[in-house]
Amino acid sequence: MISSCFSLHGIGVSQGIAIGRVQLVSHATIEVSHYAVAPDQTAAEQRRLERAIQEVRRELKALRAEMASDDLFGEIEAFIDVHEALLNDEILVGNVKAYIVEHGCNAEWALVQQMDAWVAQFEQFEDPYLRERKFDVMQIVERILKQLMGRPGTLPIADSETHIILVAHDLSPADLLQFKHRHLAAFVTDLGGATSHTSIAARGLGIPALVGTRHARQLLRDGELVIVDGAHGVVLANPDHAILSEYRKLQQAQEAHRESLKALKWRRPLTRDGVEVSLLANIEVPDDLDKAREFGAQGIGLFRSEFLYLNHDALPDEETQFEAYRHVVEGMEGRPVTLRTLDLGADKMRGGIDSLARVAPNPAMGLRAIRLCFAEQPLFITQLRAILRASAYGKIKLLAPMLSGSDEIRPLLAAVEEAKRRLNEEGVAFDRKLEIGAMIEVPSAALALGPFLKQLDFLSIGTNDLTQYLLAVDRTDEAVSHLYNPTHPAMLRLLAHILKRAGQAKVPISLCGEMADDPEMTWLLLGLGLRQFSMPAAGLLAVKERVLNADVSALQKAVTRIVRAEESDKAKALIEKLNRG
Ligand code: PEP
Ligand code: MG
């Protein structure tokens, strides 16, 4: 059957073009009906299940044969092996058959009920590899369901462009962490906003990504050939030859540009008029260090330490944290590492830590980040001890998230003092001059900045949350994503205010929200006075290119007009004009 070409639109959250085959992922992949099966029919129902399983075995065999000559065969073969092992597992299949008899229900229903139980079991595993196997369970169940329902899956990943485009209803940041080790070409989700942590993780992976498509999971089929255009937020399914070759050309041009940027790796980020700029990397897990070094980061401007906690049923102990932090700080060889204390809560929840943040009616405004740490003091002190201990091995700066005002500065400093006191008593070494800073990401902190400037060593602007809280727009919700606008006139004024005050007080300030990663924002931010940018490492060279071409004194003048704009459209037009030079 020849499928026709169609397009889907969403929010492009990570640039680039990927061409590959769809791999569907989700728990509730297919709606299944539930109906009663009479006792004398359950044996027939079990046979129907067996036949479906037999068919899936044949599908996998055909897939194996078809893939044998493919470049990615090694990787795909491992999946096929796991899927076959699951199909041949007597206990798994036996459980479904037993369920049919015990509950007098259809095979599809029994299968889905069992799948949920298996997924829950896999999620319990400490070992990330084993935990990831839950996706295999979901995929194999989906194949069997399709057979049972008379719409067998097309064979995924079955030709020479075997790049995997993951398509899911939703992916949590924790899910994406698991994909860090897989070779993915792109991902597409139905839900999600531009600065949800899943989107941020995609940029960290350096792969094109699209969120908020609403129906991709339903409309795309396993194995379908698609083009993902991250910059324009489009997925094209079943493209014809002309479209494919057009996009291949574009892809090659982008690749060539990326290659040319590599020449900038060792260039000092100085503007044309000699202004020195720092370009730092955001990282989530210690493995991200490789990319930070690859793209010439001058330091780590944001280590989102909470990612160490995701996917763990138990919270990592002091030793595990210390080792992770030490690994990062030693890996940066003297360059500074800004280590943010736990920012759990809101969309960064998973596994064993869920219970800590409790089920809040409005988690983004609830017991999140520093609030959670104050409420769970032993947890906080453990992390502070680990950070302090690692500070003996290189330059660490401690950054606290989500402070809303001066009332929270004192307990923060007191907690650090307490951790220091305990380490002192134990004779454990740490950097006695450890700098302490705060994220400015809650409007109240941005507006009443004085105590932050007086009592802390440095600040970092979190535009992702600052935009969310200033505009009252949930950063993870695609339904309001059209209102999420970091260049809203109110945001520009607030940014101008923060940077001006910090400049007057001579307090170092960086910006580590996704805005820093957007080359279209670089000149605006330079004009506003920003000198330290922190972003996913893959974006560093494109931003450096903009810095090298900037003339700060001219930008400062132009930006004054932009900040005066009262309408978003006007501000947008002026920023575009600024970027044209
Ligand atoms: C921010 O809010 O801009 C930020 C950098 O922190 P996070 O995205 O982790 O909330
Ligand atoms: Mg934030």
Side-chain angles (χ1 to χ4, degrees), residues 158 257 285 378 395 476:
H257 182 231
V285 287
K395 173 84 179 150
T476 67

Side-chain angles (χ1 to χ4, degrees), residues 139-213:
Q139 283 162 14
I140 202 71
V141 165
E142 191 167 332
R143 277 181 182 280
I144 304 171
L145 284 174
K146 284 178 178 165
Q147 282 293 345
L148 283 167
M149 295 160 91
R151 21 184 182 116
T154 48
L155 298 181
I157 317 150
D159 66 17
S160 56
E161 312 110 328
T162 46
H163 293 112
I164 300 171
I165 313 271
L166 210 68
V167 178
H169 184 58
D170 195 13
L171 288 170
S172 70
D175 290 333
L176 258 207
L177 268 190
Q178 300 181 351
F179 291 117
K180 283 210 176 195
H181 303 293
R182 283 194 186 179
H183 175 86
L184 283 184
F187 81 79
V188 177
T189 62
D190 291 344
L191 304 183
T195 63
S196 62
H197 287 95
T198 305
S199 308
I200 291 171
R203 278 189 286 277
L205 290 173
I207 57 171
L210 210 68
V211 302
T213 58

Side-chain angles (χ1 to χ4, degrees), residues 304-424:
R304 290 185 165 95
S305 69
E306 58 276 6
F307 277 76
L308 288 177
Y309 287 68
L310 297 176
N311 283 333
H312 286 271
D313 292 328
L315 297 167
D317 59 17
E318 181 180 319
E319 211 50 36
T320 312
Q321 291 185 55
F322 162 66
E323 286 302 342
Y325 304 154
R326 190 177 75 160
H327 173 78
V328 171
V329 77
E330 286 184 342
M332 286 310 285
E333 295 166 341
R335 282 163 288 174
V337 173
T338 311
L339 218 159
R340 185 172 72 182
T341 58
L342 277 179
D343 183 8
L344 284 173
D347 66 330
K348 283 180 287 193
M349 296 305 299
R350 197 62 194 236
I353 40 97
D354 284 5
S355 58
L356 285 180
R358 296 161 198 135
V359 183
N362 193 343
M365 297 202 199
L367 199 58
R368 174 187 164 188
I370 198 74
R371 304 166 182 187
L372 180 65
C373 288
F374 288 156
E376 302 286 338
Q377 199 76 10
L379 173 92
F380 194 33
I381 296 287
T382 301
Q383 181 175 38
L384 293 175
R385 284 177 57 104
I387 295 173
L388 281 161
R389 284 173 57 195
S391 72
Y393 295 83
K395 173 84 179 150
I396 286 189
K397 296 162 77 177
L398 186 146
L399 177 66
M402 272 279 288
L403 272 69
S404 59
S406 60
D407 292 350
E408 287 164 317
I409 301 177
R410 220 172 316 104
L412 166 68
L413 298 178
V416 178
E417 278 312 307
E418 174 59 17
K420 283 185 179 173
R421 188 189 62 75
R422 292 192 201 176
L423 290 176
N424 250 338

Side-chain angles (χ1 to χ4, degrees), residues 53 56-57 60 64 78-96 111 114-115 118-119 121-122 125 129-130 132-144 182:
I53 291 175
V56 173
R57 278 201 192 99
L60 292 180
R64 192 188 284 280
F79 288 114
I80 301 175
D81 289 345
V82 174
H83 288 192
E84 281 179 344
L86 289 168
L87 281 180
N88 294 333
D89 188 319
E90 301 271 332
I91 301 176
L92 293 192
V93 178
N95 283 351
V96 184
L111 194 56
Q114 285 302 309
M115 176 183 79
W118 297 328
V119 166
Q121 278 173 21
F122 277 93
F125 286 117
Y129 175 81
L130 288 177
E132 199 177 318
R133 303 283 64 81
K134 78 175 178 193
F135 293 111
D136 296 302
V137 171
M138 294 193 273
Q139 283 162 14
I140 202 71
V141 165
E142 191 167 332
R143 277 181 182 280
I144 304 171
R182 283 194 186 179

